[in-house]
Amino acid sequence: MTYEEFYYSIDCNFPYHNESEWKRIIQQSIEIGGDAPFMVLHEICRVPASEKIEEAKHLEMYNFWKESFSSPVQEIVEPASLSYINKGELTDNEALEIMVKLSKFPNSYNALQVVLFSCPDDKDLVDEKYEEIVSMWKSAT
């Protein structure tokens, strides 16, 4: 399965209430590699309003994802990930600091998006930083 096919198979279609299926998808994302595991993280963190997940189950899903592979990006994006699960928000400054760290890991688009949506961004500074980093990554390829 290609990255694009994988994206369309889980986008707005993540099986939050089917443990064996979300575990399979997490493993599949690791096999696909690149940014695919962080696409799954994005789905895990940004649960649609139509879905209700108990916090303990949400943490179980996140912890399974985190323990399934190893990447320095995991630790960098973790505060943003946990802010979703704990139904909180980062400050804009916290999000900006995380984005600066992520900028050193080209093509981590999904991790960057998790951070982008983890704060209020009242002054659009986080969105500007997001666009700046994406532009930098694209110009480097």
mmCIF file of all heavy atoms in Angstrom, residues 92-139:
data_model
loop_
_atom_site.group_PDB
_atom_site.id
_atom_site.type_symbol
_atom_site.label_atom_id
_atom_site.label_comp_id
_atom_site.label_asym_id
_atom_site.label_seq_id
_atom_site.Cartn_x
_atom_site.Cartn_y
_atom_site.Cartn_z
ATOM 1 N N ASP A 92 0.667 29.366 22.696
ATOM 2 C CA ASP A 92 1.264 29.606 21.379
ATOM 3 C C ASP A 92 2.782 29.504 21.454
ATOM 4 O O ASP A 92 3.410 28.930 20.562
ATOM 5 C CB ASP A 92 0.855 30.982 20.843
ATOM 6 C CG ASP A 92 -0.621 31.037 20.471
ATOM 7 O OD1 ASP A 92 -1.309 29.993 20.516
ATOM 8 O OD2 ASP A 92 -1.082 32.138 20.124
ATOM 9 N N ASN A 93 3.382 30.031 22.520
ATOM 10 C CA ASN A 93 4.844 29.965 22.666
ATOM 11 C C ASN A 93 5.339 28.532 22.786
ATOM 12 O O ASN A 93 6.372 28.184 22.213
ATOM 13 C CB ASN A 93 5.306 30.797 23.858
ATOM 14 C CG ASN A 93 5.306 32.279 23.550
ATOM 15 O OD1 ASN A 93 5.349 32.688 22.391
ATOM 16 N ND2 ASN A 93 5.250 33.094 24.591
ATOM 17 N N GLU A 94 4.609 27.692 23.525
ATOM 18 C CA GLU A 94 5.003 26.282 23.628
ATOM 19 C C GLU A 94 4.944 25.615 22.256
ATOM 20 O O GLU A 94 5.860 24.869 21.877
ATOM 21 C CB GLU A 94 4.075 25.542 24.604
ATOM 22 C CG GLU A 94 4.284 25.922 26.050
ATOM 23 C CD GLU A 94 3.198 25.362 26.964
ATOM 24 O OE1 GLU A 94 2.013 25.303 26.538
ATOM 25 O OE2 GLU A 94 3.531 24.993 28.098
ATOM 26 N N ALA A 95 3.889 25.895 21.516
ATOM 27 C CA ALA A 95 3.745 25.315 20.177
ATOM 28 C C ALA A 95 4.874 25.787 19.260
ATOM 29 O O ALA A 95 5.444 24.992 18.508
ATOM 30 C CB ALA A 95 2.385 25.676 19.588
ATOM 31 N N LEU A 96 5.201 27.063 19.330
ATOM 32 C CA LEU A 96 6.290 27.599 18.500
ATOM 33 C C LEU A 96 7.620 26.934 18.836
ATOM 34 O O LEU A 96 8.395 26.599 17.935
ATOM 35 C CB LEU A 96 6.388 29.115 18.666
ATOM 36 C CG LEU A 96 5.251 29.916 18.029
ATOM 37 C CD1 LEU A 96 5.278 31.370 18.512
ATOM 38 C CD2 LEU A 96 5.308 29.845 16.515
ATOM 39 N N GLU A 97 7.892 26.721 20.113
ATOM 40 C CA GLU A 97 9.141 26.049 20.523
ATOM 41 C C GLU A 97 9.203 24.636 19.960
ATOM 42 O O GLU A 97 10.256 24.192 19.478
ATOM 43 C CB GLU A 97 9.237 26.005 22.051
ATOM 44 C CG GLU A 97 9.525 27.348 22.693
ATOM 45 C CD GLU A 97 9.485 27.302 24.219
ATOM 46 O OE1 GLU A 97 9.588 26.192 24.802
ATOM 47 O OE2 GLU A 97 9.353 28.381 24.825
ATOM 48 N N ILE A 98 8.088 23.927 20.016
ATOM 49 C CA ILE A 98 8.055 22.562 19.481
ATOM 50 C C ILE A 98 8.263 22.584 17.970
ATOM 51 O O ILE A 98 9.015 21.766 17.427
ATOM 52 C CB ILE A 98 6.719 21.877 19.845
ATOM 53 C CG1 ILE A 98 6.632 21.661 21.357
ATOM 54 C CG2 ILE A 98 6.571 20.546 19.106
ATOM 55 C CD1 ILE A 98 5.257 21.246 21.853
ATOM 56 N N MET A 99 7.649 23.531 17.298
ATOM 57 C CA MET A 99 7.796 23.624 15.841
ATOM 58 C C MET A 99 9.247 23.879 15.442
ATOM 59 O O MET A 99 9.722 23.312 14.451
ATOM 60 C CB MET A 99 6.891 24.710 15.281
ATOM 61 C CG MET A 99 5.450 24.313 15.216
ATOM 62 S SD MET A 99 4.482 25.623 14.437
ATOM 63 C CE MET A 99 3.099 24.685 13.845
ATOM 64 N N VAL A 100 9.937 24.712 16.194
ATOM 65 C CA VAL A 100 11.350 24.978 15.901
ATOM 66 C C VAL A 100 12.143 23.676 16.007
ATOM 67 O O VAL A 100 12.983 23.377 15.157
ATOM 68 C CB VAL A 100 11.911 26.073 16.832
ATOM 69 C CG1 VAL A 100 13.424 26.153 16.751
ATOM 70 C CG2 VAL A 100 11.283 27.426 16.501
ATOM 71 N N LYS A 101 11.856 22.874 17.026
ATOM 72 C CA LYS A 101 12.544 21.581 17.177
ATOM 73 C C LYS A 101 12.194 20.642 16.018
ATOM 74 O O LYS A 101 13.070 19.956 15.481
ATOM 75 C CB LYS A 101 12.171 20.932 18.506
ATOM 76 C CG LYS A 101 12.716 21.653 19.715
ATOM 77 C CD LYS A 101 12.226 21.012 21.003
ATOM 78 C CE LYS A 101 12.629 21.832 22.204
ATOM 79 N NZ LYS A 101 12.041 21.309 23.451
ATOM 80 N N LEU A 102 10.911 20.612 15.651
ATOM 81 C CA LEU A 102 10.484 19.735 14.548
ATOM 82 C C LEU A 102 11.079 20.156 13.211
ATOM 83 O O LEU A 102 11.258 19.316 12.326
ATOM 84 C CB LEU A 102 8.959 19.733 14.429
ATOM 85 C CG LEU A 102 8.187 18.909 15.435
ATOM 86 C CD1 LEU A 102 6.690 19.106 15.244
ATOM 87 C CD2 LEU A 102 8.544 17.437 15.335
ATOM 88 N N SER A 103 11.376 21.435 13.055
ATOM 89 C CA SER A 103 11.894 21.931 11.774
ATOM 90 C C SER A 103 13.195 21.230 11.377
ATOM 91 O O SER A 103 13.539 21.186 10.207
ATOM 92 C CB SER A 103 12.094 23.443 11.822
ATOM 93 O OG SER A 103 13.170 23.794 12.661
ATOM 94 N N LYS A 104 13.871 20.644 12.350
ATOM 95 C CA LYS A 104 15.131 19.933 12.080
ATOM 96 C C LYS A 104 14.902 18.513 11.540
ATOM 97 O O LYS A 104 15.847 17.800 11.238
ATOM 98 C CB LYS A 104 15.978 19.895 13.352
ATOM 99 C CG LYS A 104 16.418 21.277 13.805
ATOM 100 C CD LYS A 104 17.057 21.247 15.179
ATOM 101 C CE LYS A 104 17.555 22.580 15.641
ATOM 102 N NZ LYS A 104 16.588 23.629 15.747
ATOM 103 N N PHE A 105 13.630 18.123 11.422
ATOM 104 C CA PHE A 105 13.273 16.790 10.922
ATOM 105 C C PHE A 105 12.390 16.952 9.684
ATOM 106 O O PHE A 105 11.160 16.877 9.762
ATOM 107 C CB PHE A 105 12.564 15.982 12.017
ATOM 108 C CG PHE A 105 13.443 15.712 13.196
ATOM 109 C CD1 PHE A 105 13.501 16.611 14.253
ATOM 110 C CD2 PHE A 105 14.258 14.594 13.229
ATOM 111 C CE1 PHE A 105 14.332 16.393 15.337
ATOM 112 C CE2 PHE A 105 15.098 14.360 14.312
ATOM 113 C CZ PHE A 105 15.138 15.261 15.360
ATOM 114 N N PRO A 106 13.023 17.198 8.531
ATOM 115 C CA PRO A 106 12.280 17.475 7.287
ATOM 116 C C PRO A 106 11.186 16.454 6.997
ATOM 117 O O PRO A 106 11.337 15.266 7.273
ATOM 118 C CB PRO A 106 13.369 17.434 6.219
ATOM 119 C CG PRO A 106 14.623 17.768 6.946
ATOM 120 C CD PRO A 106 14.470 17.165 8.315
ATOM 121 N N ASN A 107 10.104 16.977 6.447
ATOM 122 C CA ASN A 107 8.967 16.182 5.990
ATOM 123 C C ASN A 107 8.142 15.555 7.114
ATOM 124 O O ASN A 107 7.398 14.606 6.879
ATOM 125 C CB ASN A 107 9.403 15.119 4.976
ATOM 126 C CG ASN A 107 10.132 15.738 3.807
ATOM 127 O OD1 ASN A 107 9.778 16.827 3.348
ATOM 128 N ND2 ASN A 107 11.172 15.076 3.340
ATOM 129 N N SER A 108 8.257 16.104 8.313
ATOM 130 C CA SER A 108 7.432 15.647 9.439
ATOM 131 C C SER A 108 6.124 16.441 9.454
ATOM 132 O O SER A 108 5.735 17.034 10.455
ATOM 133 C CB SER A 108 8.200 15.824 10.754
ATOM 134 O OG SER A 108 9.348 15.033 10.783
ATOM 135 N N TYR A 109 5.451 16.433 8.318
ATOM 136 C CA TYR A 109 4.263 17.270 8.128
ATOM 137 C C TYR A 109 3.140 16.963 9.112
ATOM 138 O O TYR A 109 2.511 17.880 9.643
ATOM 139 C CB TYR A 109 3.733 17.130 6.693
ATOM 140 C CG TYR A 109 4.702 17.630 5.660
ATOM 141 C CD1 TYR A 109 5.437 16.750 4.878
ATOM 142 C CD2 TYR A 109 4.894 18.997 5.468
ATOM 143 C CE1 TYR A 109 6.338 17.218 3.923
ATOM 144 C CE2 TYR A 109 5.787 19.477 4.516
ATOM 145 C CZ TYR A 109 6.509 18.582 3.752
ATOM 146 O OH TYR A 109 7.389 19.041 2.818
ATOM 147 N N ASN A 110 2.872 15.681 9.336
ATOM 148 C CA ASN A 110 1.768 15.328 10.226
ATOM 149 C C ASN A 110 2.076 15.673 11.680
ATOM 150 O O ASN A 110 1.188 16.133 12.401
ATOM 151 C CB ASN A 110 1.402 13.856 10.071
ATOM 152 C CG ASN A 110 0.661 13.617 8.787
ATOM 153 O OD1 ASN A 110 -0.445 14.094 8.599
ATOM 154 N ND2 ASN A 110 1.282 12.889 7.865
ATOM 155 N N ALA A 111 3.306 15.488 12.100
ATOM 156 C CA ALA A 111 3.693 15.888 13.454
ATOM 157 C C ALA A 111 3.549 17.404 13.596
ATOM 158 O O ALA A 111 3.043 17.908 14.606
ATOM 159 C CB ALA A 111 5.125 15.446 13.754
ATOM 160 N N LEU A 112 3.947 18.110 12.576
ATOM 161 C CA LEU A 112 3.847 19.570 12.585
ATOM 162 C C LEU A 112 2.383 20.010 12.667
ATOM 163 O O LEU A 112 2.045 20.955 13.373
ATOM 164 C CB LEU A 112 4.525 20.136 11.341
ATOM 165 C CG LEU A 112 4.897 21.608 11.353
ATOM 166 C CD1 LEU A 112 5.900 21.925 12.449
ATOM 167 C CD2 LEU A 112 5.465 22.016 9.996
ATOM 168 N N GLN A 113 1.503 19.291 11.982
ATOM 169 C CA GLN A 113 0.080 19.624 12.038
ATOM 170 C C GLN A 113 -0.521 19.365 13.412
ATOM 171 O O GLN A 113 -1.381 20.121 13.873
ATOM 172 C CB GLN A 113 -0.702 18.844 10.982
ATOM 173 C CG GLN A 113 -0.547 19.412 9.621
ATOM 174 C CD GLN A 113 -1.486 18.758 8.625
ATOM 175 O OE1 GLN A 113 -2.226 17.833 8.940
ATOM 176 N NE2 GLN A 113 -1.440 19.241 7.411
ATOM 177 N N VAL A 114 -0.069 18.309 14.070
ATOM 178 C CA VAL A 114 -0.547 18.048 15.432
ATOM 179 C C VAL A 114 -0.242 19.258 16.311
ATOM 180 O O VAL A 114 -1.084 19.724 17.072
ATOM 181 C CB VAL A 114 0.085 16.754 16.013
ATOM 182 C CG1 VAL A 114 -0.182 16.632 17.507
ATOM 183 C CG2 VAL A 114 -0.445 15.526 15.270
ATOM 184 N N VAL A 115 0.943 19.800 16.163
ATOM 185 C CA VAL A 115 1.332 20.975 16.954
ATOM 186 C C VAL A 115 0.531 22.203 16.528
ATOM 187 O O VAL A 115 0.059 22.967 17.377
ATOM 188 C CB VAL A 115 2.847 21.240 16.848
ATOM 189 C CG1 VAL A 115 3.246 22.463 17.667
ATOM 190 C CG2 VAL A 115 3.640 20.022 17.292
ATOM 191 N N LEU A 116 0.371 22.387 15.235
ATOM 192 C CA LEU A 116 -0.358 23.549 14.718
ATOM 193 C C LEU A 116 -1.740 23.684 15.361
ATOM 194 O O LEU A 116 -2.159 24.781 15.720
ATOM 195 C CB LEU A 116 -0.504 23.433 13.196
ATOM 196 C CG LEU A 116 -1.384 24.473 12.504
ATOM 197 C CD1 LEU A 116 -0.799 25.874 12.644
ATOM 198 C CD2 LEU A 116 -1.556 24.104 11.033
ATOM 199 N N PHE A 117 -2.426 22.566 15.519
ATOM 200 C CA PHE A 117 -3.793 22.602 16.033
ATOM 201 C C PHE A 117 -3.883 22.418 17.546
ATOM 202 O O PHE A 117 -4.982 22.268 18.079
ATOM 203 C CB PHE A 117 -4.646 21.555 15.303
ATOM 204 C CG PHE A 117 -4.768 21.832 13.841
ATOM 205 C CD1 PHE A 117 -4.190 20.993 12.901
ATOM 206 C CD2 PHE A 117 -5.452 22.956 13.388
ATOM 207 C CE1 PHE A 117 -4.300 21.249 11.547
ATOM 208 C CE2 PHE A 117 -5.567 23.224 12.028
ATOM 209 C CZ PHE A 117 -4.990 22.367 11.111
ATOM 210 N N SER A 118 -2.756 22.435 18.240
ATOM 211 C CA SER A 118 -2.751 22.183 19.682
ATOM 212 C C SER A 118 -2.820 23.453 20.528
ATOM 213 O O SER A 118 -2.747 23.376 21.745
ATOM 214 C CB SER A 118 -1.493 21.397 20.063
ATOM 215 O OG SER A 118 -0.345 22.223 19.912
ATOM 216 N N CYS A 119 -2.938 24.606 19.891
ATOM 217 C CA CYS A 119 -2.914 25.878 20.616
ATOM 218 C C CYS A 119 -3.936 26.836 20.017
ATOM 219 O O CYS A 119 -4.399 26.620 18.904
ATOM 220 C CB CYS A 119 -1.512 26.479 20.562
ATOM 221 S SG CYS A 119 -0.999 26.902 18.890
ATOM 222 N N PRO A 120 -4.257 27.911 20.722
ATOM 223 C CA PRO A 120 -5.273 28.834 20.198
ATOM 224 C C PRO A 120 -4.810 29.648 18.984
ATOM 225 O O PRO A 120 -5.615 29.972 18.124
ATOM 226 C CB PRO A 120 -5.579 29.751 21.380
ATOM 227 C CG PRO A 120 -4.490 29.575 22.359
ATOM 228 C CD PRO A 120 -3.851 28.245 22.078
ATOM 229 N N ASP A 121 -3.544 29.963 18.892
ATOM 230 C CA ASP A 121 -2.968 30.725 17.778
ATOM 231 C C ASP A 121 -3.777 31.979 17.450
ATOM 232 O O ASP A 121 -4.094 32.257 16.292
ATOM 233 C CB ASP A 121 -2.810 29.839 16.536
ATOM 234 C CG ASP A 121 -1.893 30.463 15.484
ATOM 235 O OD1 ASP A 121 -1.081 31.347 15.843
ATOM 236 O OD2 ASP A 121 -1.990 30.072 14.316
ATOM 237 N N ASP A 122 -4.082 32.745 18.476
ATOM 238 C CA ASP A 122 -4.902 33.954 18.316
ATOM 239 C C ASP A 122 -4.294 34.996 17.380
ATOM 240 O O ASP A 122 -5.015 35.747 16.742
ATOM 241 C CB ASP A 122 -5.167 34.588 19.687
ATOM 242 C CG ASP A 122 -6.002 33.679 20.577
ATOM 243 O OD1 ASP A 122 -6.869 32.958 20.037
ATOM 244 O OD2 ASP A 122 -5.772 33.671 21.800
ATOM 245 N N LYS A 123 -2.978 35.032 17.305
ATOM 246 C CA LYS A 123 -2.321 36.050 16.466
ATOM 247 C C LYS A 123 -1.761 35.464 15.171
ATOM 248 O O LYS A 123 -0.982 36.106 14.480
ATOM 249 C CB LYS A 123 -1.211 36.731 17.263
ATOM 250 C CG LYS A 123 -1.739 37.482 18.480
ATOM 251 C CD LYS A 123 -0.618 38.125 19.257
ATOM 252 C CE LYS A 123 -1.175 38.832 20.480
ATOM 253 N NZ LYS A 123 -0.123 39.314 21.353
ATOM 254 N N ASP A 124 -2.125 34.240 14.865
ATOM 255 C CA ASP A 124 -1.674 33.539 13.656
ATOM 256 C C ASP A 124 -0.158 33.356 13.574
ATOM 257 O O ASP A 124 0.376 33.083 12.495
ATOM 258 C CB ASP A 124 -2.173 34.240 12.385
ATOM 259 C CG ASP A 124 -3.655 34.034 12.170
ATOM 260 O OD1 ASP A 124 -4.193 32.993 12.625
ATOM 261 O OD2 ASP A 124 -4.285 34.903 11.548
ATOM 262 N N LEU A 125 0.536 33.465 14.695
ATOM 263 C CA LEU A 125 1.993 33.281 14.699
ATOM 264 C C LEU A 125 2.368 31.822 14.471
ATOM 265 O O LEU A 125 3.357 31.524 13.802
ATOM 266 C CB LEU A 125 2.586 33.779 16.022
ATOM 267 C CG LEU A 125 2.414 35.256 16.329
ATOM 268 C CD1 LEU A 125 2.930 35.577 17.733
ATOM 269 C CD2 LEU A 125 3.133 36.099 15.290
ATOM 270 N N VAL A 126 1.576 30.917 15.033
ATOM 271 C CA VAL A 126 1.867 29.492 14.887
ATOM 272 C C VAL A 126 1.606 29.059 13.439
ATOM 273 O O VAL A 126 2.399 28.316 12.860
ATOM 274 C CB VAL A 126 1.055 28.663 15.902
ATOM 275 C CG1 VAL A 126 1.337 27.174 15.755
ATOM 276 C CG2 VAL A 126 1.382 29.124 17.329
ATOM 277 N N ASP A 127 0.537 29.551 12.855
ATOM 278 C CA ASP A 127 0.253 29.251 11.456
ATOM 279 C C ASP A 127 1.363 29.791 10.550
ATOM 280 O O ASP A 127 1.790 29.110 9.612
ATOM 281 C CB ASP A 127 -1.101 29.839 11.047
ATOM 282 C CG ASP A 127 -1.519 29.388 9.665
ATOM 283 O OD1 ASP A 127 -1.589 28.158 9.433
ATOM 284 O OD2 ASP A 127 -1.745 30.251 8.803
ATOM 285 N N GLU A 128 1.845 30.980 10.838
ATOM 286 C CA GLU A 128 2.951 31.553 10.054
ATOM 287 C C GLU A 128 4.206 30.681 10.170
ATOM 288 O O GLU A 128 4.891 30.440 9.177
ATOM 289 C CB GLU A 128 3.265 32.971 10.528
ATOM 290 C CG GLU A 128 2.246 34.005 10.105
ATOM 291 C CD GLU A 128 2.544 35.392 10.682
ATOM 292 O OE1 GLU A 128 3.704 35.663 11.065
ATOM 293 O OE2 GLU A 128 1.596 36.195 10.750
ATOM 294 N N LYS A 129 4.502 30.216 11.385
ATOM 295 C CA LYS A 129 5.676 29.360 11.599
ATOM 296 C C LYS A 129 5.487 28.035 10.849
ATOM 297 O O LYS A 129 6.419 27.526 10.226
ATOM 298 C CB LYS A 129 5.896 29.117 13.089
ATOM 299 C CG LYS A 129 7.081 28.212 13.408
ATOM 300 C CD LYS A 129 8.390 28.691 12.831
ATOM 301 C CE LYS A 129 9.057 29.728 13.666
ATOM 302 N NZ LYS A 129 10.391 30.092 13.131
ATOM 303 N N TYR A 130 4.287 27.497 10.883
ATOM 304 C CA TYR A 130 3.979 26.268 10.154
ATOM 305 C C TYR A 130 4.276 26.452 8.662
ATOM 306 O O TYR A 130 4.983 25.642 8.055
ATOM 307 C CB TYR A 130 2.501 25.890 10.374
ATOM 308 C CG TYR A 130 2.037 24.738 9.523
ATOM 309 C CD1 TYR A 130 2.219 23.424 9.933
ATOM 310 C CD2 TYR A 130 1.410 24.968 8.291
ATOM 311 C CE1 TYR A 130 1.798 22.366 9.141
ATOM 312 C CE2 TYR A 130 0.982 23.914 7.506
ATOM 313 C CZ TYR A 130 1.175 22.622 7.935
ATOM 314 O OH TYR A 130 0.768 21.569 7.143
ATOM 315 N N GLU A 131 3.738 27.522 8.080
ATOM 316 C CA GLU A 131 3.945 27.795 6.649
ATOM 317 C C GLU A 131 5.431 27.998 6.336
ATOM 318 O O GLU A 131 5.927 27.537 5.302
ATOM 319 C CB GLU A 131 3.134 29.012 6.207
ATOM 320 C CG GLU A 131 1.632 28.808 6.261
ATOM 321 C CD GLU A 131 1.126 27.712 5.335
ATOM 322 O OE1 GLU A 131 1.780 27.427 4.303
ATOM 323 O OE2 GLU A 131 0.076 27.127 5.645
ATOM 324 N N GLU A 132 6.139 28.666 7.225
ATOM 325 C CA GLU A 132 7.578 28.906 7.043
ATOM 326 C C GLU A 132 8.349 27.590 7.011
ATOM 327 O O GLU A 132 9.215 27.373 6.152
ATOM 328 C CB GLU A 132 8.077 29.796 8.193
ATOM 329 C CG GLU A 132 9.567 30.029 8.232
ATOM 330 C CD GLU A 132 9.975 30.754 9.515
ATOM 331 O OE1 GLU A 132 9.284 31.715 9.923
ATOM 332 O OE2 GLU A 132 10.992 30.342 10.111
ATOM 333 N N ILE A 133 8.035 26.687 7.943
ATOM 334 C CA ILE A 133 8.741 25.405 8.014
ATOM 335 C C ILE A 133 8.406 24.542 6.799
ATOM 336 O O ILE A 133 9.300 23.944 6.183
ATOM 337 C CB ILE A 133 8.414 24.683 9.337
ATOM 338 C CG1 ILE A 133 9.023 25.468 10.515
ATOM 339 C CG2 ILE A 133 8.934 23.249 9.322
ATOM 340 C CD1 ILE A 133 8.545 25.012 11.883
ATOM 341 N N VAL A 134 7.133 24.481 6.425
ATOM 342 C CA VAL A 134 6.728 23.689 5.257
ATOM 343 C C VAL A 134 7.427 24.201 4.020
ATOM 344 O O VAL A 134 7.958 23.432 3.208
ATOM 345 C CB VAL A 134 5.189 23.697 5.098
ATOM 346 C CG1 VAL A 134 4.782 23.181 3.726
ATOM 347 C CG2 VAL A 134 4.532 22.895 6.199
ATOM 348 N N SER A 135 7.500 25.509 3.860
ATOM 349 C CA SER A 135 8.170 26.105 2.718
ATOM 350 C C SER A 135 9.660 25.751 2.712
ATOM 351 O O SER A 135 10.230 25.418 1.669
ATOM 352 C CB SER A 135 7.970 27.629 2.761
ATOM 353 O OG SER A 135 8.633 28.236 1.689
ATOM 354 N N MET A 136 10.269 25.811 3.881
ATOM 355 C CA MET A 136 11.695 25.467 3.999
ATOM 356 C C MET A 136 11.919 24.008 3.590
ATOM 357 O O MET A 136 12.844 23.710 2.838
ATOM 358 C CB MET A 136 12.153 25.699 5.448
ATOM 359 C CG MET A 136 13.588 25.311 5.716
ATOM 360 S SD MET A 136 14.049 25.512 7.454
ATOM 361 C CE MET A 136 13.203 24.135 8.208
ATOM 362 N N TRP A 137 11.072 23.102 4.079
ATOM 363 C CA TRP A 137 11.221 21.684 3.729
ATOM 364 C C TRP A 137 11.038 21.473 2.236
ATOM 365 O O TRP A 137 11.798 20.716 1.622
ATOM 366 C CB TRP A 137 10.206 20.837 4.493
ATOM 367 C CG TRP A 137 10.508 20.659 5.962
ATOM 368 C CD1 TRP A 137 11.692 20.916 6.603
ATOM 369 C CD2 TRP A 137 9.597 20.223 6.958
ATOM 370 N NE1 TRP A 137 11.564 20.645 7.939
ATOM 371 C CE2 TRP A 137 10.289 20.209 8.185
ATOM 372 C CE3 TRP A 137 8.270 19.839 6.939
ATOM 373 C CZ2 TRP A 137 9.703 19.813 9.381
ATOM 374 C CZ3 TRP A 137 7.691 19.429 8.119
ATOM 375 C CH2 TRP A 137 8.400 19.415 9.338
ATOM 376 N N LYS A 138 10.044 22.112 1.667
ATOM 377 C CA LYS A 138 9.782 21.911 0.232
ATOM 378 C C LYS A 138 10.898 22.462 -0.633
ATOM 379 O O LYS A 138 11.219 21.896 -1.672
ATOM 380 C CB LYS A 138 8.441 22.538 -0.152
ATOM 381 C CG LYS A 138 7.267 21.722 0.357
ATOM 382 C CD LYS A 138 5.953 22.299 -0.069
ATOM 383 C CE LYS A 138 4.824 21.396 0.395
ATOM 384 N NZ LYS A 138 3.516 21.902 0.041
ATOM 385 N N SER A 139 11.491 23.574 -0.218
ATOM 386 C CA SER A 139 12.578 24.163 -1.019
ATOM 387 C C SER A 139 13.861 23.354 -0.904
ATOM 388 O O SER A 139 14.722 23.462 -1.774
ATOM 389 C CB SER A 139 12.817 25.613 -0.598
ATOM 390 O OG SER A 139 13.390 25.675 0.685
#
